[in-house]
């Protein structure tokens, strides 16, 4: 029999993953307890990846001194590889961080591990989680900082790839302090990792709540002024989204667990004075919204406020997906009281659907001429039609016109904004189905929420222009 334990560790692993030990795997496993943790860890990984259909579970059971059912579960059951940040001293005595990989497999009949000196701490986790498990580590170490990352690996399915944990746990799920946090944080930063420590979080349950959450209320505010407006918006009494989750203000928790900072949730534009400025902030809006969508799991309900040009609100609607529910907050003075008025749109797809009923709120006026269509959303006190036609006559040859308005312009109650936008979008759809146009030209005299929702319904699959009225420059 070969003395497999006498092989150089690197040589052993190279031979193993080349399949050179497959014919001797029973003899290799008989000497399992003589190998280093690294070799033991890699052996289990290799069996799960390469030999789970060809190795009899009784061979692994005998090597690990466990039941055959447990051996088969270790070979074929659900498992997760995770990383622990441990501290070690170099030749000069300096403490540095180090990655230790481990494999966790839940629901065995007893606690199974290749580091027997950790069994008392593993028993604490069993009491906390309510079930037994197997865990194989690639390095030997002391201390209890592995407890938090192991508990997370065993009980949370999806964990952000760059997120790591360090901390002890007691059977109540309280996160307890560990040593060398500073060194571990420095190591994590050097390797572009985010590390959750006992200095940031007190309860294990909080981690589960955030990483398993499937519904989010996301504030997103666009303003020409300052960050303070965003803070006032999300803290206002009118804001309908959930403001706190578990231990944290929800944005603080999202930053901690998903790496999205507060700056991802608002946009300060200043004055939009040039085409390049417009395009830059449109791109920034699009990028921020998509970063939120990609980082957070589950359903996101966006709580949107916009203070700025109506035409810019239309542009942002064009860029906003019709798949994500949202609540739009319209800032308005009603009976002398200024406040945000929420307009919930939980099924935005409805804005894109053509209505079969008669239009009850809008009065469309369509004039077919040339192959360019000028669309005027005319729902406010200011009457833009004459100015628009004068301007267009100098820039387009014989365009077609679509003027959308209501009987009582400028006095629209917030409660009808959604239906006005929906009817407007539907009529535009009808025109597009009937006639083909080279380009579309949008002008606005309407509340921002209506422009945003019509923009969302129109989408970005047609060539066109958005026009913005500047008092000083027309």
């Amino acid at each position: 029999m070969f003395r497999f334990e006498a092989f150089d560790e690197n040589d052993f692993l190279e031979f193993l993953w080349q399949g050179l030990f497959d014919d001797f795997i029973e003899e290799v496993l008989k000497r399992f307890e003589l190998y280093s943790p690294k070799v033991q860890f890699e052996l289990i990984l290799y069996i799960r990846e390469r030999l789970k259909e060809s190795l009899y579970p009784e061979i692994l059971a005998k090597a690990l001194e466990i039941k055959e059912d447990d051996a088969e579960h270790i070979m074929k059951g659900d498992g997760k590889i995770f990383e622990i940040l441990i501290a070690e001293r170099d030749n000069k005595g300096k403490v540095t961080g180090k990655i230790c990989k481990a494999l966790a497999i839940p629901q065995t009949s007893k606690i199974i591990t290749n580091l027997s000196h950790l069994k008392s701490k593993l028993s604490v986790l069993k009491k906390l989680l309510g079930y037994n498990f197997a865990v194989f580590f690639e390095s030997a170490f002391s201390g209890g900082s592995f407890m938090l990352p192991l508990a997370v690996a065993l009980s949370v399915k999806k964990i952000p790839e760059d997120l790591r944990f360090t901390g002890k746990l007691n059977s109540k799920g309280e996160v307890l302090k560990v040593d060398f946090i500073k060194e571990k944080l420095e190591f994590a930063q050097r390797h572009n990792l985010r590390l959750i420590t006992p200095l940031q979080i007190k309860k294990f349950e909080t981690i589960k709540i955030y990483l398993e959450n499937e519904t989010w209320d996301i504030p997103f505010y666009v303003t020409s002024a300052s960050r303070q407006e965003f803070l006032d918006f999300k803290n206002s009494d009118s804001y309908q989204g959930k403001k706190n989750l578990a231990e944290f203000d929800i944005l603080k928790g999202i930053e901690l667990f998903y790496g999205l900072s507060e700056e991802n949730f608002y946009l300060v534009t200043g004055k939009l004075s040039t085409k390049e400025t417009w395009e830059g902030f449109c791109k920034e809006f699009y990028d921020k919204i998509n970063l939120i969508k990609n980082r957070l799991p589950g359903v996101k309900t966006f709580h949107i406020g916009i203070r700025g040009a109506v035409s810019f609100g239309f542009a942002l609607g064009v860029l906003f997906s019709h798949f994500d529910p949202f609540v739009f907050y319209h800032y308005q003075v009603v009976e002398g009281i200024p406040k945000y008025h929420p307009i919930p749109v939980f099924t935005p797809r409805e804005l894109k659907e053509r209505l079969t009923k008669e239009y009850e709120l809008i009065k469309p006026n369509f004039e077919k001429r040339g192959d360019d269509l000028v669309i005027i959303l005319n729902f406010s006190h200011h009457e833009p039609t004459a100015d628009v036609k004068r301007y267009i006559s100098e820039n387009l040859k014989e365009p077609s016109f679509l003027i959308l308005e209501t009987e009582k312009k400028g006095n629209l109650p917030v409660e009808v904004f959604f239906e006005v936008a929906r009817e407007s979008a539907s009529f535009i759809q009808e025109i597009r189905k009937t006639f083909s146009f080279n380009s579309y030209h949008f002008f606005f005299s309407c509340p921002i929420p209506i422009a945003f929702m019509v923009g969302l319904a129109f989408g970005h699959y047609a060539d066109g222009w958005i026009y913005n009225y500047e008092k000083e420059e027309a």
Side-chain angles (χ1 to χ4, degrees):
M1 178 190 296
F2 289 117
R3 293 182 62 245
F4 295 102
E5 71 278 7
F7 280 57
D8 174 83
E9 185 177 275
N10 292 330
D11 292 341
F12 182 99
L13 295 177
E14 185 174 346
F15 296 154
L16 174 69
W17 286 99
Q18 288 180 2
L20 301 180
F21 291 157
D22 288 4
D23 292 339
F24 309 97
I25 194 65
E26 185 171 358
E27 299 301 323
V28 169
L29 287 174
K30 283 180 180 179
R31 311 177 75 79
F32 188 85
E33 64 178 16
L34 301 176
Y35 304 130
S36 68
K38 172 73 172 177
V39 169
Q40 294 173 338
F41 171 77
E42 295 281 346
L43 267 171
I44 298 299
L45 291 186
Y46 184 79
I47 289 170
R48 285 173 60 87
E49 184 173 326
R50 302 277 184 86
L51 302 180
K52 62 182 179 181
E53 302 299 337
S54 59
L55 181 69
Y56 287 112
E58 64 192 57
I59 295 174
L60 182 61
K62 190 172 182 180
L64 301 183
E65 298 181 350
I66 58 176
K67 296 179 179 178
E68 282 190 33
D69 287 347
D70 283 334
E72 185 169 16
H73 189 61
I74 288 171
M75 292 166 60
K76 300 180 181 181
D78 291 336
K80 182 179 293 182
I81 297 175
F82 64 102
E83 292 184 345
I84 304 160
L85 267 63
I86 59 178
E88 65 175 7
R89 295 186 184 275
D90 60 20
N91 295 332
K92 298 180 180 179
K94 181 182 178 182
V95 176
T96 59
K98 176 187 173 183
I99 290 289
C100 169
K101 291 183 180 180
L103 169 66
I105 304 167
Q107 303 294 346
T108 51
S109 68
K110 67 174 184 176
I111 292 174
I112 301 167
T113 184
N114 63 332
L115 298 184
S116 58
H117 66 281
L118 299 179
K119 280 197 172 180
S120 62
K121 295 181 175 66
L122 297 175
S123 296
V124 173
L125 293 184
K126 172 192 172 181
K127 187 174 181 181
L128 170 64
L129 300 174
Y131 53 81
N132 285 302
F133 52 85
V135 57
F136 298 91
F137 303 94
E138 71 166 352
S139 301
F141 55 85
S142 60
S145 63
F146 75 91
M147 297 175 75
L148 182 57
L150 173 54
V152 173
L154 284 167
S155 56
V156 178
K157 288 185 177 180
K158 293 184 179 180
I159 305 168
E161 290 185 1
D162 64 338
L163 194 61
R164 302 292 184 270
F165 303 85
T166 187
K168 295 179 184 177
L169 285 169
N170 62 23
S171 58
K172 298 178 182 178
E174 296 169 334
V175 182
L176 309 176
K177 66 180 183 180
V178 292
D179 296 328
F180 306 116
I181 286 180
K182 176 176 176 290
E183 289 80 5
K184 292 175 184 178
L185 285 169
E186 290 173 349
F187 178 88
Q189 187 174 17
R190 289 197 303 272
H191 291 80
N192 297 316
L193 300 172
R194 294 181 296 116
L195 181 63
I196 302 292
T197 77
L199 298 175
Q200 298 163 302
I201 193 163
K202 302 303 177 187
K203 298 177 182 177
F204 170 64
E205 185 64 23
T206 299
I207 298 173
K208 291 191 64 180
I209 289 171
Y210 271 92
L211 295 186
E212 294 178 341
N213 192 44
E214 288 293 327
T215 57
W216 302 93
D217 289 313
I218 305 298
F220 198 95
Y221 194 76
V222 180
T223 176
S224 59
S226 68
R227 166 181 175 269
Q228 186 58 47
E229 276 195 16
F230 165 69
L231 300 178
D232 294 341
F233 165 70
K234 76 181 186 71
N235 293 325
S236 69
D237 293 337
S238 302
Y239 182 79
Q240 295 184 343
K242 184 181 291 185
K243 297 181 180 180
N244 298 286
L245 185 62
E247 296 179 46
F248 305 106
D249 169 277
I250 196 163
L251 290 191
K252 176 63 178 175
I254 287 174
E255 179 177 8
L256 189 61
F257 293 104
Y258 294 97
L260 292 167
S261 63
E262 182 188 89
E263 289 75 17
N264 293 118
F265 298 92
Y266 66 88
L267 190 62
V268 177
T269 65
K271 185 178 180 180
L272 298 167
S273 56
T274 67
K275 178 176 180 289
E276 290 72 26
T277 306
W278 271 70
E279 291 175 349
F281 281 112
C282 283
K283 184 178 187 303
E284 189 173 342
F285 170 84
Y286 181 83
D287 289 343
K288 286 187 174 186
I289 290 291
N290 278 288
L291 181 65
I292 294 168
K293 291 178 184 179
N294 292 331
R295 286 278 182 92
L296 289 178
V299 177
K300 277 76 66 175
T301 299
F302 287 85
H303 294 257
I304 299 171
I306 299 176
R307 190 170 82 82
V310 176
S311 44
F312 189 56
F314 178 87
L316 301 188
V318 168
L319 294 171
F320 188 82
S321 168
H322 63 271
F323 295 107
D324 296 292
F326 64 92
V327 180
F328 199 105
Y329 292 78
H330 179 56
Y331 191 75
Q332 185 176 7
V333 178
V334 177
E335 297 180 352
I337 302 174
K339 61 179 291 188
Y340 291 103
H341 299 267
I343 305 167
V345 184
F346 297 128
T347 312
R349 182 76 192 179
E350 291 179 356
L351 289 166
K352 297 181 73 70
E353 295 172 353
R354 294 173 66 192
L355 301 177
T356 56
K357 64 177 184 177
E358 291 187 7
Y359 296 107
E360 299 175 356
L361 295 170
I362 67 166
K363 295 171 58 180
N365 182 355
F366 176 60
E367 182 181 350
K368 178 69 175 77
R369 292 183 181 178
D371 293 332
D372 299 298
L373 178 61
V374 174
I375 301 173
I376 304 174
L377 302 186
N378 185 16
F379 303 121
S380 295
H381 288 293
H382 171 67
E383 175 56 61
T385 304
D387 289 338
V388 170
K389 286 189 173 183
R390 189 180 306 113
Y391 173 83
I392 283 296
S393 67
E394 300 173 0
N395 294 275
L396 290 176
K397 183 179 180 181
E398 288 293 313
S400 298
F401 275 89
L402 172 60
I403 302 171
L404 297 166
E405 54 191 2
T406 57
E407 189 169 345
K408 295 182 178 180
K409 292 184 293 182
N411 295 307
L412 291 180
V414 175
E415 291 76 19
V416 303
F417 280 13
F418 174 80
E419 282 301 325
V420 168
R422 190 182 183 197
E423 289 188 8
S424 299
S426 176
F427 195 84
I428 293 171
Q429 285 269 55
E430 286 188 31
I431 296 298
R432 295 177 71 182
K433 291 285 184 181
T434 307
F435 303 99
S436 177
F437 295 99
N438 293 332
S439 62
Y440 298 83
H441 302 258
F442 285 92
F443 294 82
F444 309 92
S445 178
C446 68
I448 294 177
I450 293 178
F452 179 87
M453 288 186 279
V454 174
L456 182 152
F458 188 80
H460 47 76
Y461 297 106
D463 291 332
W465 283 261
I466 300 168
Y467 296 82
N468 182 54
Y469 177 77
E470 291 283 352
K471 290 181 180 179
E472 299 83 4
E473 303 168 14

